[in-house]
Amino acid sequence: MINKLSVVSGTSITVEDFGSLAVLGDNGVGKTAFIEKIALVDEKNLETVVNARGYVKYKNFSVIIDGDKVECEEVRGEKYRAGYIISPGSFTYICNGYVGYKVMIVYPYTFVTTIHDYYYDVPIKPNDEDIKFSNSIKDFIDGIIIRSANDFLYEKDDFVTYLDNLGSGISRAVKLMWLVYHHKPDILLIDDIESLHLHPIRFENLLKWLLSRKLKALIFTTNSDAYVTLAELDRNSKFLLLRKDGYILMDNYDALNRIDYEDLRYTAVKDVS
């Protein structure tokens, strides 16, 4: 659980005492910018952000997490494209400070389905780490995930196929879970969690798995009803409704009381004047 998170960029947004946070709001209101500024407390995340978005530029913002502060004068990155060739691009990171937590940002919509050659049933033996990972996600997928060269295979009994052949939603979710399992972040940021395209039951199992990882915080942006599932699963969840004229912050108790008669996605955008 995070005791206090503050993101200051013109306006200041502070969230206290939460284990998970759903960020809702209209398109273009700043949901992605909010979580990207959190991610950019670590310069290593800049390349991930640029690879996902192509171009990013933020100036004069600061992030405070449990007393650790990072102040940024400018963060900028761009990928250069010449025909079909994308060069690494340029990066600028002018920030001071340090956050003790390991922060990771994930963009599920960037997990592109691979175009495969025909699989000739060549036996591949899963290693111990594959087995441990597969056991950890057994409530999400019933089988063994085997990591091969730049890819994942799925095995159940005598059936072996590419993970992507099970569907883009399952494939993206498992790849996300592997990143979390392998890198073990303290704070996980997910942009557009609905881009996983999961059936509600699978999405609930995914969230249960993420919440079981003992993260300091799970933070995701969404325009779907994913926030409802989060509210029902995590009593330490909070809900940030970003608006062009400010923001609304709700705790789990308030959100659950409203969900029966009010869609928080509409609350975030309705005119209150």
Side-chain angles (χ1 to χ4, degrees):
M1 178 180 288
I2 287 181
N3 296 318
K4 187 174 182 178
L5 164 69
S6 293
V7 179
V8 182
S9 180
T11 59
S12 176
I13 298 175
T14 297
V15 187
E16 297 182 349
D17 301 326
F18 69 98
S20 58
L21 177 69
V23 184
L24 299 90
D26 198 2
N27 297 333
V29 80
K31 301 186 299 295
T32 298
F34 175 77
I35 66 167
E36 284 181 346
K37 287 170 184 174
I38 299 170
L40 290 169
V41 300
D42 187 343
E43 185 176 1
K44 294 177 184 177
N45 287 321
L46 177 55
E47 186 173 357
T48 301
V49 174
V50 173
N51 283 339
R53 305 248 282 141
Y55 173 81
V56 66
K57 183 177 181 180
Y58 296 121
K59 284 190 171 185
N60 301 319
F61 69 93
S62 64
V63 178
I64 305 171
I65 306 177
D66 285 349
D68 291 338
K69 184 176 184 179
V70 173
E71 291 185 287
C72 293
E73 179 182 331
E74 182 178 10
V75 178
R76 176 167 48 85
E78 181 177 9
K79 285 194 300 188
Y80 296 128
R81 181 186 292 273
Y84 292 103
I85 300 175
I86 302 176
S87 67
S90 64
F91 301 91
T92 300
Y93 187 84
I94 307 173
C95 299
N96 295 302
Y98 172 77
V99 167
Y101 297 137
K102 183 176 182 180
V103 182
M104 183 171 75
I105 189 167
V106 179
Y107 302 83
Y109 48 84
T110 65
F111 297 161
V112 178
T113 300
T114 308
I115 299 175
H116 302 291
D117 294 328
Y118 180 74
Y119 182 66
Y120 291 101
D121 294 329
V122 177
I124 297 177
K125 184 177 180 180
N127 61 32
D128 290 343
E129 198 68 6
D130 293 335
I131 298 298
K132 289 179 183 178
F133 173 62
S134 295
N135 286 337
S136 81
I137 64 170
K138 62 184 179 181
D139 289 335
F140 181 81
I141 188 168
D142 180 21
I144 302 297
I145 301 299
I146 307 171
R147 290 171 293 128
S148 59
N150 300 317
D151 211 342
F152 290 86
L153 294 173
Y154 169 78
E155 176 184 289
K156 183 176 182 181
D157 300 324
D158 295 329
F159 174 70
V160 180
T161 187
Y162 288 107
L163 175 63
D164 289 337
N165 289 341
L166 301 184
S168 63
I170 292 176
S171 176
R172 288 177 177 180
V174 170
K175 290 172 184 177
L176 185 156
M177 295 161 95
W178 168 253
L179 288 174
V180 174
Y181 176 87
H182 181 69
H183 292 287
K184 297 176 174 58
D186 298 309
I187 299 173
L188 175 64
L189 309 163
I190 305 174
D191 190 36
D192 286 347
I193 201 167
E194 61 268 20
S195 65
L196 290 167
H197 301 307
L198 290 173
H199 183 280
I201 293 176
R202 285 198 186 272
F203 181 73
E204 180 177 335
N205 287 336
L206 170 67
L207 272 189
K208 286 179 179 177
W209 186 87
L210 291 174
L211 294 170
S212 75
R213 302 313 296 173
K214 298 181 180 178
L215 300 165
K216 294 295 293 186
L218 166 65
I219 303 174
F220 62 79
T221 69
T222 182
N223 273 329
S224 74
D225 61 358
Y227 76 91
V228 177
T229 306
L230 181 66
E232 293 170 344
L233 290 178
D234 185 11
R235 297 173 65 182
N236 294 316
S237 59
K238 292 199 173 180
F239 304 85
L240 179 63
L241 285 56
L242 293 181
R243 304 169 56 87
K244 293 180 180 179
D245 58 352
Y247 69 92
I248 301 169
L249 182 63
M250 296 182 188
D251 62 17
N252 179 266
Y253 178 81
D254 193 10
L256 283 174
N257 282 342
R258 290 172 179 251
I259 283 171
D260 287 339
Y261 64 88
E262 183 178 359
D263 190 326
L264 299 188
R265 293 171 294 178
Y266 289 92
T267 306
V269 300
K270 70 181 182 183
D271 185 2
V272 295
S273 59

